Amino acid sequence: MKLIFFSLASGSSGNCYYLGTPEYGILIDAGISVRTIKKVLKDRSVDLSQIMGVLVTHDHADHIKTVGYLGEKLNIPVYSTEGVHKGIEKSRYVEETLNASKRIIEKEKPFKIKDFEITAFPVPHDSTDSVGYHIVCGDQRFTIATDVGHITDTVGKYICMANHLVLEANYDEEMLKYGTYPPFLKERVASPTGHLSNRDAAEFLATHYTPELKDIWLCHLSRDNNHPELAHKTVDIRLFEEGIRVGKDVQLVALKRSTPSDVYEFEAEI
C-alpha cells in the first residue's frame, strides 16, 4: 500500500498535516482555513470526502481553528482526549460546537481508522491537554510530536519507534534570547511546557538515531525566532557529528510555516 504524507501548514499561524493512502486519509490538526485545506488537498488530488478523521494534538488556536466546521458541517469525526475536547469547547476560536463528530480517545490506548492503528501519547505543553500521535500502517510507523516543551521518556519512546517522524524544532536559542519577545514570552517558549529548540531536537535525534528512521520533518518553526535553513543546518551538523549522513542515512526536511510541503510517498506492506 502506498502511503502519502504532506504538510499543509506548520507554524504558529496554523498547523495541518495529511497522512493517507490513495483511497482515504486523516488530518492531524486543523488550524488553518477550510478554504486553504480544500485548495491544498485538491491540488494534491485528495477530496475532502476521503478524510476519515481529524486528530487534534491540543486546544491552542493554531491547531483547532476549523475543527468545528470540519466536524459539524462536513461530518468528519474529530478525535482527541477528553481534556483537549473540553479546551475546544471553551475556545473562542472555534465557532461550531462539536457534537455528533466528537470522538474521545485515551492516551496510550490504540484505536483504528481503516488500516491506521493510532496511539495518542502525552506531550508536555501549556495547553488544557496535549498529545502526540503514533500511527502504524502495516510495517510503517509514523510519529508526530509538536509543541513539545521537553522530550519526556514517553515522548522519546514514540519518537524512537518511528520510521517517519514529524518533530518540533520551534526556535533557535540565540534568536530567542536576543529577539524582540518580551521576557515573559521568552520564558514561556523556553520553559519545560513551552516549545522545543533546534538544539534540543538535534541532540535527541543524534543520540537516539537508529537505521529504522528514514524521514525527519522539522515542524512548527517560529516566525520570529527561527529559519528553515537554520533548523535544518542545526540538526544536520549534529547528526553528522555522530556519523549520520543526511540524504543518505536519513532524509531531513524543515517544513515551512505557511507553504504546503512536497508530497512524500512510501510503501507499506499490510
Side-chain angles (χ1 to χ4, degrees), residues 3-260:
L3 291 179
I4 301 162
F5 169 76
F6 56 85
S7 167
L8 290 80
S10 182
S12 54
S13 298
N15 298 270
C16 187
Y17 310 91
Y18 174 85
L19 181 67
T21 74
E23 287 77 40
Y24 64 87
I26 56 176
L27 296 178
I28 303 163
D29 287 334
I32 58 177
S33 71
V34 172
R35 171 189 254 177
T36 300
I37 291 173
K38 288 180 177 178
K39 182 182 186 307
V40 176
L41 292 181
K42 183 178 179 182
D43 289 346
R44 285 154 174 72
S45 301
V46 179
D47 191 86
L48 267 175
S49 64
Q50 295 174 245
I51 303 300
M52 298 290 103
V54 182
L55 311 181
V56 183
T57 60
H58 62 290
D59 63 344
H60 286 167
D62 55 322
H63 297 260
I64 63 168
K65 284 176 188 173
T66 53
V67 293
Y69 186 95
L70 294 173
E72 295 304 306
K73 300 295 185 183
L74 300 181
N75 302 310
I76 299 172
V78 178
Y79 296 84
S80 201
T81 65
E82 186 170 9
V84 172
H85 275 299
K86 286 180 178 177
I88 292 171
E89 288 172 11
K90 295 176 182 177
S91 175
R92 59 190 175 93
Y93 298 102
V94 180
E95 295 180 2
E96 296 85 0
T97 301
L98 295 175
N99 291 305
S101 62
K102 182 178 178 181
R103 303 287 188 275
I104 295 175
I105 60 176
E106 294 185 46
K107 295 170 189 171
E108 299 200 87
K109 289 196 174 180
F111 64 99
K112 294 203 78 171
I113 299 177
K114 296 279 194 175
D115 291 305
F116 293 153
E117 183 177 275
I118 303 165
T119 305
F121 57 90
V123 170
H125 190 54
D126 56 3
S127 51
T128 305
D129 194 11
S130 190
V131 296
Y133 288 98
H134 181 68
I135 303 165
V136 178
C137 184
D139 62 346
Q140 297 300 304
R141 303 182 302 278
F142 178 97
T143 297
I144 180 166
T146 182
D147 296 65
V148 182
H150 66 284
I151 298 178
T152 62
D153 289 344
T154 301
V155 174
K157 177 180 76 171
Y158 286 99
I159 290 174
C160 292
M161 290 165 65
N163 305 124
H164 314 282
L165 172 66
V166 182
L167 179 64
E168 180 175 52
N170 177 258
Y171 66 97
D172 174 78
E173 293 174 349
E174 292 297 300
M175 287 185 70
L176 178 67
K177 180 178 179 180
Y178 296 108
T180 58
Y181 277 15
F184 81 90
L185 190 52
K186 291 181 180 181
E187 290 177 9
R188 184 241 161 188
V189 169
S191 78
T193 56
H195 292 280
L196 198 66
S197 70
N198 295 343
R199 184 177 65 84
D200 286 344
E203 185 64 25
F204 187 89
L205 291 167
T207 54
H208 292 79
Y209 168 83
T210 68
E212 285 73 36
L213 181 60
K214 304 302 182 185
D215 297 286
I216 302 167
W217 296 280
L218 304 176
C219 73
H220 207 281
L221 275 64
S222 169
R223 177 186 63 191
D224 301 305
N225 302 304
N226 211 351
H227 297 298
E229 298 81 7
L230 179 56
H232 187 283
K233 182 179 179 181
T234 303
V235 175
D236 187 353
I237 290 173
R238 186 65 188 90
L239 290 173
F240 186 77
E241 290 173 351
E242 298 295 328
I244 304 156
R245 295 158 296 179
V246 167
K248 185 169 185 180
D249 299 318
V250 68
Q251 302 301 314
L252 175 66
V253 174
L255 298 172
K256 294 183 179 178
R257 299 178 63 258
S258 56
T259 305

